[in-house]
Amino acid sequence: MTQIAIVCGSFHKKEIKRMLAYAENQAAIENMKVVEIVWVPGAMEVPLALSRLISRNDINGAACLGIIEKGSTQHGLAMGQAVIKSVIELQLKHNKPIGLGIIGPGAEEEHIEPRLEPHARAAVSAISSML
């Protein structure tokens, strides 16, 4: 059975717990086992957690779940771009799939709720499609 890990940003913990439930359900549907869940403070910490997880021999792939809201400055956009670039680089370095389930950057409150389930499920499905 394919074993995966999930990294969760805790800044929006209530919403991410819901995303995690959708992701775990999708993993079960696709015959994957979630063997590790790691909570990090926010998007900045996601790449390091992913790197540590996908370097393990028992982990076949990983997903990350989070929300980067639109703020009054460009901080969220810059953070989102840096995280996405790092995720791509980690996939290439470790030759393991990482599903991106981060809503945003630039998410406004009304964008978040309708994206929780599809982003979480797609992040897990991306792993199975690349194995």
Side-chain angles (χ1 to χ4, degrees), residues 66-85:
I67 300 168
I68 301 174
E69 289 182 282
K70 181 178 183 179
S72 57
T73 68
Q74 296 298 314
H75 173 76
L77 179 61
M79 183 63 59
Q81 290 174 339
V83 169
I84 291 167
K85 182 177 186 297

Side-chain angles (χ1 to χ4, degrees), residues 3 9 11 25-26 30 39 42-43 53 57 61 64 80 85 90 93 100 112:
Q3 297 192 134
F11 192 79
N25 175 259
Q26 191 66 32
E30 299 196 32
W39 287 89
L53 289 165
N57 291 331
C64 54
K85 182 177 186 297
L90 287 168
K93 176 183 176 185
L100 186 66
I112 295 170

Side-chain angles (χ1 to χ4, degrees), residues 98-111:
I98 299 173
L100 186 66
I102 296 177
I103 299 170
E108 296 184 13
E109 192 170 326
E110 67 270 14
H111 301 141

Side-chain angles (χ1 to χ4, degrees), residues 1-102:
M1 178 177 284
T2 301
Q3 297 192 134
I4 67 169
I6 301 177
V7 176
C8 301
S10 62
F11 192 79
H12 296 89
K13 197 160 195 170
K14 178 182 162 197
E15 291 85 356
I16 303 306
K17 281 184 175 181
R18 291 180 51 213
M19 289 183 82
L20 179 57
Y22 294 130
E24 289 177 312
N25 175 259
Q26 191 66 32
I29 290 169
E30 299 196 32
N31 200 32
M32 293 187 283
K33 182 179 180 183
V34 178
V35 295
E36 186 89 34
I37 298 168
V38 175
W39 287 89
V40 296
M44 177 68 180
E45 296 78 25
V46 166
L48 179 58
L50 285 170
S51 181
R52 289 177 176 171
L53 289 165
I54 63 171
S55 68
R56 291 174 32 184
N57 291 331
D58 64 322
I59 304 280
N60 303 107
C64 54
L65 307 175
I67 300 168
I68 301 174
E69 289 182 282
K70 181 178 183 179
S72 57
T73 68
Q74 296 298 314
H75 173 76
L77 179 61
M79 183 63 59
Q81 290 174 339
V83 169
I84 291 167
K85 182 177 186 297
S86 296
V87 168
I88 293 167
E89 290 170 353
L90 287 168
Q91 287 187 106
L92 296 173
K93 176 183 176 185
H94 294 278
N95 197 30
K96 292 183 181 181
I98 299 173
L100 186 66
I102 296 177

